[in-house]
Structures are given as C-alpha cells and as structure tokens.
Amino acid sequence: MTALAISAGSGRARALFPGVLACAVVAAAASFLAEHYGAPVMLFALLLGMAMNFLSGEGSACTPGIEFTARTLLRLGVALLGLRITVGQIAALGWEPVAIIVISVVLTIAVSMAAARAMGFNTLFGLLSGGATAICGASAALALAAALPAHPLKERATLFTVVGVSALSTLAMIFYPMLAQAIGLDARAAGVFLGATIHDVAQVVGAGYSMSKDTGDVATFVKLMRVAMLVPAVVFAVLITRTHKGESEGPRPPLLPGFAVGFAVLVAINSSGWLPKPLTQAGSEFSRWCLVAAIAAIGMKTQLKDLAAVGIKPVLLMIGETLFLVALAIALLHWLG
C-alpha cells in the first residue's frame, strides 16, 4: 500500500511539474521586472501569464500544473499572509484607526455590491471588486475568488479585478501623498489615510515612506490591519454564496475555508512570538511567491479578448469604489482622528 501511495504521489508530481515550473518562471520574470521598473509585480505576472496563454491549451503537458498553481498554491499563499501581522500590531494602533478600517471595509463592500447590482452585474462581482478595493488589492481579490463557488465568468472577473486594483494602486501611490499634504494631514493621520485607502501593500509602503519614516510606519501597520479583515470578509463571501445559489454554479463552499482557518491560526501563532523572525520573513516571502505564481497561472488561463469584452462599466465601478473609499476615509479621519 505504501509503495502504491508513493508511486501515485510520484506520478502526480511528474504531471504537475511542467505547469508549476512554467508559473514559477513567469513569477521570477515578473519579480525581476517589478524590482527594476517599479510597477506592481502582480500586474507584470498577469501580463506575462496572458502572453503564455498557449501553455494552458487542451492536451498541454502544462495544464495540470497551471490548474494546481491557480487553485492550491493560491490558497497556500493566502493562508501564509497571516505571518505578516500580529494582534499586538493591531492593538498598538489604538481604537480610532481600527474603527476607520472596520467601517471603511464594511461600507465599501456593501456599497460595491449595491452598485454592481444596480449596474446589472452579478452581486458577487461587487463583492469581489469591493473586497479587493477595501482590503488589500490583488491578494484580497485572490482570497475572495478562492472562497467563491465555480462559475464560468469567475476567473475573468478575478483577472479583471486584479488588473484594475493593480493599476489604481499604482496611481494612488503617486497621488495620495500629494492629497494628504494638500488637506493638511500630520504624519500620523497621513499614515492612517494612506494605509486605509491604497490597495496593495507594496504601494502603501512606497507612498508612506516617500513622506516620512513615521508616516510609513503607521501606514504599514494600518495596511496590515486591513489584511486582517480578510478572514471576516471571506466568511461573509461564503455566507453570501450559500444563500444565493441561483447566482452561482457548483457545490456550496464550506462555511470556513481551510485557507481562512490557516490564516487565522498563523496570525495567532505569529502573535505569540514563538516563531523566529527569519522564519516569519521566509514564510511571508514564500506567500508572495505563491500569490505571484497563482496570478501568472490565472493569466495563462485567460485570453486578452476576454478582458476586452468586459466593457466600460466594470472600469467605472472600480473607479467609483476607489473614490468612495478615499472620501469615506477622509470623513472618518475628520470625525474620529
């Protein structure tokens, strides 16, 4: 029995290897380009993956590994995001930033879902794009997509959302520090504003430290608090899909997906201080690699014409979500800051 299991495992590994290797190569190329040109690594991974779309064709040796990367490695990468934050970091912010984050996430997702419905989209697309905008950009889009049931348009919606939040996050990194200065925010308030509104972690870090070290520190902690909102957002996504079977296809997902449990467990373990810092840093870096490779795999499974077919309305929806989040964060800073 053991020999049979080993043989089956070896055969499975051989079947997956070509596709996983292709995704890893694209992820490495995307990371290289991002480091040298300062653009979001997720965007490069998407574009390079789409250029390698021929690898995922029917009968291709790479197809099983690409599917594995887009699904299993995606969930592993999301779970390992828990190594980035601790409960102590969240508590150190004080109640005001925490309140701003919770209110912003809840209202942005709610408004996005309502707007998506009003514009004729599936409500779940509003949940996907609103969650990506409100929480942590591409990582949140991937986490929420992993929690949603199978649907013919899910991968295209996920890909479009990642492209949108990556582009908007880059623009935000450039313009939001100027906006924070224009409205007279001090270092701490500017950090809260940047951390609460910019989509991706890397862009938050870039924008925050471009202003000052204190602003960068606060912005990073606030952003990590938004990352912690992944768990309740994923649970909410599952509850929504379980009660809207008419809008979804495939079996209902479990109430608490395994990757969400893993995320919460790793946050708790990381908060205990038991893990050495090199281990948490290595886990966080491996998480990034898994997510970049997963995005490359999703890109390989999608054709450019699929994105071109979405039209202007999804673009307007995501821009509207971003502007709503900015206005809400400024208002909450005025009332609670």
Side-chain angles (χ1 to χ4, degrees):
M1 183 65 69
T2 303
L4 288 174
I6 293 175
S7 177
S10 176
R12 172 69 170 163
R14 284 196 298 269
L16 296 178
F17 179 76
V20 173
L21 178 62
C23 294
V25 170
V26 172
S31 299
F32 175 84
L33 291 172
E35 290 173 2
H36 285 76
Y37 294 101
V41 64
M42 294 291 191
L43 187 57
F44 277 126
L46 276 174
L47 296 176
L48 291 175
M50 292 172 67
M52 306 292 285
N53 174 263
F54 61 90
L55 292 177
S56 63
E58 186 176 353
S60 171
C62 293
T63 298
I66 292 172
E67 294 286 351
F68 174 82
T69 303
R71 182 175 177 85
T72 303
L73 288 188
L74 165 60
R75 286 160 169 76
L76 177 60
V78 172
L80 289 173
L81 286 174
L83 291 173
R84 295 187 180 187
I85 59 178
T86 67
V87 174
Q89 289 174 335
I90 297 172
L93 293 174
W95 72 269
E96 296 94 342
V98 173
I100 290 172
I101 291 302
V102 173
I103 294 171
S104 297
V105 169
V106 171
L107 288 183
T108 300
I109 291 177
V111 169
S112 298
M113 293 177 68
R117 171 65 71 181
M119 297 174 72
F121 297 126
N122 189 314
T123 305
L124 298 181
F125 177 64
L127 173 60
L128 182 66
S129 61
T133 300
I135 301 174
C136 54
S139 298
L142 294 172
L144 290 168
L148 298 177
H151 189 281
L153 300 179
K154 186 176 82 168
E155 288 185 352
R156 189 174 76 178
T158 302
L159 190 64
F160 176 82
T161 301
V162 171
V163 170
V165 294
S166 297
L168 290 170
S169 187
T170 301
L171 293 174
M173 180 180 65
I174 297 170
F175 292 108
Y176 285 12
M178 293 186 285
L179 177 59
Q181 291 177 332
I183 61 179
L185 298 180
D186 59 25
R188 182 178 182 277
V192 174
F193 170 71
L194 297 176
T197 54
I198 298 179
H199 306 82
D200 288 312
V201 175
Q203 278 68 36
V204 169
V205 172
Y209 286 105
S210 71
M211 296 187 70
S212 71
K213 181 182 183 301
D214 292 340
T215 298
D217 289 343
V218 173
T220 302
F221 284 147
V222 171
K223 182 60 183 178
L224 293 178
M225 171 60 187
R226 285 169 72 191
V227 175
M229 293 293 290
L230 267 177
V231 171
V234 166
V235 173
F236 175 71
V238 172
L239 289 173
I240 288 293
T241 57
R242 288 169 69 94
T243 56
H244 289 73
K245 291 183 65 177
E247 297 185 5
S248 305
E249 297 181 2
R252 296 199 305 178
L255 182 59
L256 193 59
F259 69 86
V261 175
F263 178 93
V265 168
L266 288 176
V267 170
I269 294 174
N270 195 32
S271 301
S272 70
W274 296 342
L275 298 178
K277 190 171 182 179
L279 181 60
T280 60
Q281 290 176 337
S284 180
E285 180 65 13
F286 184 63
S287 169
R288 187 187 73 85
W289 271 96
C290 287
L291 293 176
V292 174
I295 273 293
I298 292 173
M300 290 178 187
K301 296 170 62 179
T302 306
Q303 296 185 11
L304 186 59
K305 64 180 182 180
D306 293 332
L307 282 182
V310 300
I312 189 63
K313 288 200 296 184
V315 177
L316 296 177
L317 175 62
M318 296 195 68
I319 292 174
E321 291 165 352
T322 299
L323 295 177
F324 174 82
L325 180 60
V326 169
L328 181 60
I330 292 174
L332 291 173
L333 274 172
H334 177 72
W335 293 330
L336 301 176

